[in-house]
Amino acid sequence: MTTATTYEEAVRPCGGGSRIAWAFSDARVLAGRYVRHILRQPEEIATAILIPTVLMLMFRYMLGGAVDAGGPSYANFLVPGILAIGVTLISVSTTVGVFLDMQEGFVDRLRSMSTLATSVVIGHIVAAVMRALIGLVVLTAIGFAVGFRPSAGVLQYLAAFALLMLFAVAVGWISALFGQLARSTEGASGLALTLTFLPYASNVFAPTETMSPGLRVFVEHQPVTAVIDAVRALLLDQPVGNAAWIAVLWWGGIIALAVPLSNRLFRRRFS
């Protein structure tokens, strides 16, 4: 009883507050819990950085000479796509983390308190976006070390960053949804891998013009390609065309679908 009272005091807004304010307070407290896990489990960040770094070095120095990037240096072509891969790698830890909280009784303990239980999902997504942000900073620095030389202005940098953050939020919500659908830890990991491998079927490593006609149609119209095209064009000061709007429509629409669906699944399971 003491624990419940202490937790309620920690999350209740001053003076009682509205239900919305209380919900935001719950989400803030639990987001802080999951963000602290990043410091306590640095291997998650290390893995999310190591894999795209190895890919960056391998394609830059072993295979880059065999790929015609069609204009920019191969490092300039490659790094924006590697950033997208780095974002999708947040999906595994997020999916597994949500699944474990669902299965190990953490959510049940919250239901015994005056707490918004769905703030568990929100907290996981905030932590996922933080992991993505850390990964993007480190990968960009490594990209500079291997020859990445963007020519963007301030507004273009901000627009590219905003697109990558939108992408990260969408990946976080899909991952949380997968965590609620999974029935085992292995199943959670398997579902997350579908997101992790999606960028590999895009134009990360080679221009779509070099692909076979059938594969090219798929690559040009899958949602990760739109993010990579827009970020690449913004960072290299090239014409963006419709890529940015297509990316916003794709991933903004995915968020609009994933949020209510995730909340519905959560309430159905724990009502």
Side-chain angles (χ1 to χ4, degrees), residues 117-136:
T118 53
S119 57
V120 172
V121 176
I122 298 171
H124 275 290
I125 291 166
V126 171
V129 173
M130 290 295 296
R131 285 194 297 271
L133 180 59
I134 294 170
L136 289 174

Side-chain angles (χ1 to χ4, degrees), residues 41-159:
Q41 299 172 332
E43 65 274 8
E44 292 181 0
I45 290 291
T47 301
I49 293 172
L50 180 61
I51 293 174
T53 298
V54 170
L55 290 170
M56 189 189 305
L57 295 176
M58 182 175 67
F59 277 86
R60 171 70 177 88
Y61 293 111
M62 294 179 62
L63 303 173
V67 179
D68 181 8
S73 70
Y74 189 64
N76 284 349
F77 179 87
L78 176 66
V79 171
I82 293 293
L83 296 180
I85 290 178
V87 169
T88 58
L89 287 172
I90 67 177
S91 63
V92 175
S93 56
T94 304
T95 300
V96 173
V98 170
F99 169 76
L100 291 177
D101 278 351
M102 301 295 108
Q103 294 294 316
E104 294 182 349
F106 180 69
V107 175
D108 290 325
R109 291 196 296 273
L110 291 182
R111 291 174 62 210
S112 67
M113 308 174 187
S114 300
T115 306
L116 180 70
T118 53
S119 57
V120 172
V121 176
I122 298 171
H124 275 290
I125 291 166
V126 171
V129 173
M130 290 295 296
R131 285 194 297 271
L133 180 59
I134 294 170
L136 289 174
V137 171
V138 175
L139 290 173
T140 301
I142 296 172
F144 276 106
V146 302
F148 179 51
R149 297 295 181 268
S151 52
V154 174
L155 292 179
Q156 290 167 309
Y157 274 115
L158 292 175

